[in-house]
Amino acid sequence: MTDSRDWFPSQDEPNPMRAAQAGMKPTLPKRFYKEASVEERDGLFHLTLDGRSAKTPSKHALAVPSRALAEAMAQEWAEQGTEIDPSTMPITRIVNSAIDGVTPRKIEVVDDLVRYAGSDLIYYRVSEPARLVQSQDEAWNPILDWVKESHGARFTLAEGVMHVTQPEEAIVAVRAVIERIDSPFALAALHVMTTLSGSVLIALAHAAGLLDADQAWMAAHVDELYQESVWGEDYEAMERRRRREADFRAASEVFRLVSL
């Protein structure tokens, strides 16, 4: 069969990150197909397994508007071993969440992204040590300059972690940028990148091409990287960040491929 609901998590909520990272069954299902491929039909590119159309957990066609994106999904399915492991299929998980979770709830997803603009990571700065101050400035100031010059959004910076209310006109400007993203796949990918980075501005700057994936991921972890340079690396923390980075890069790839 080609209905993936038995092993992919439910898409009942609009949050693409939680949907993409939701838990899976302890026992992984056996691989039931030999070949994963792509078929163009009705203006969309469908994932097929042994020639049969695959379905999302909510039984929608697993189909996308970009051949390149469909082929990336097919590659994930083709690379599965004797069992199907959703944790190794981040692109498919994001596409599932876009179709089942984002498409019917676009306004909720936009609202959630806009909330990040009210307390974005890059507003909150340290006053010392000097090296961390410099690292934050170098990583984050170009993003604030970009959003000001490109979209007219001026944000207020603060020292420490006390919440600072941002200008309403800046929030409105960010909402306008997000609302221009029509594709549910691009919107889902943007949400995943935002959730993982803690910054909708970093995610938007990356989506616009101001930062590549390496620069965006490092900008999201300026403080952690500084702490590691002082105190050394923690293996478990590194492993968690590595897994999150893989999902960030998958979301970056989905955003890129859906735009081709």
Side-chain angles (χ1 to χ4, degrees):
M1 63 184 295
T2 52
D3 186 343
S4 60
R5 59 187 167 157
D6 289 336
W7 53 87
F8 278 99
S10 169
Q11 309 292 315
D12 291 338
E13 60 163 290
N15 186 315
M17 188 63 246
R18 288 196 295 266
Q21 291 195 318
M24 55 195 166
K25 291 186 176 181
T27 302
L28 297 177
K30 300 294 184 184
R31 177 169 174 160
F32 57 87
Y33 58 93
K34 292 183 178 179
E35 182 180 13
S37 56
V38 174
E39 177 182 323
E40 184 176 5
R41 187 168 67 252
D42 302 324
L44 294 173
F45 298 92
H46 294 249
L47 173 71
T48 63
L49 304 173
D50 292 341
R52 299 177 61 189
S53 294
K55 303 289 186 181
T56 69
S58 295
K59 290 189 168 183
H60 296 108
L62 195 48
V64 295
S66 159
R67 176 179 288 278
L69 180 55
E71 289 176 346
M73 276 198 302
Q75 183 176 351
E76 288 186 338
W77 286 82
E79 290 176 350
Q80 295 301 296
T82 58
E83 296 178 327
I84 300 172
D85 184 355
S87 70
T88 65
M89 306 168 76
I91 289 176
T92 300
R93 286 186 280 125
I94 294 169
V95 170
N96 275 336
S97 70
I99 296 171
D100 289 347
V102 176
T103 298
R105 300 180 180 90
K106 180 180 178 182
I107 293 176
E108 295 173 54
V109 177
V110 170
D111 287 345
D112 198 40
L113 284 166
V114 173
R115 277 192 285 273
Y116 275 87
S119 57
D120 202 274
L121 166 73
I122 70 175
Y123 307 150
Y124 298 94
R125 308 297 181 89
V126 297
S127 57
E128 58 179 357
R131 185 157 62 90
L132 180 54
V133 171
Q134 181 180 356
S135 294
Q136 289 181 341
D137 287 348
E138 290 176 350
W140 298 344
N141 287 356
I143 299 170
L144 292 170
D145 291 342
W146 166 77
V147 75
K148 179 179 69 176
E149 293 166 5
S150 299
H151 305 295
R154 298 171 181 267
F155 292 98
T156 303
L157 304 188
E159 286 187 6
V161 295
M162 292 297 292
H163 177 75
V164 174
T165 301
Q166 296 297 328
E168 182 60 28
E169 58 269 24
I171 304 297
V172 169
V174 170
R175 177 181 288 275
V177 176
I178 297 169
E179 287 179 339
R180 286 198 289 271
I181 301 174
D182 292 327
S183 166
F185 305 98
L187 195 60
L190 183 71
H191 195 289
V192 171
M193 290 189 288
T194 297
T195 306
L196 288 170
S197 67
S199 169
V200 70
L201 298 185
I202 289 175
L204 286 171
H206 173 51
L210 179 71
L211 309 173
D212 62 24
D214 290 337
Q215 292 168 327
W217 188 248
M218 291 189 68
H221 294 85
V222 169
D223 292 359
E224 289 181 36
L225 294 171
Y226 171 78
Q227 294 298 330
E228 288 174 0
S229 73
V230 174
W231 302 108
E233 297 177 351
D234 177 84
Y235 176 77
E236 291 185 0
M238 291 284 292
E239 282 299 298
R240 285 195 299 271
R241 192 162 75 233
R242 181 188 62 78
R243 290 191 295 270
R244 290 165 63 83
E245 182 179 359
D247 282 340
F248 182 93
R249 291 183 180 277
S252 171
E253 187 72 351
V254 169
F255 195 98
R256 184 184 73 84
L257 293 176
V258 81
S259 303
L260 293 179

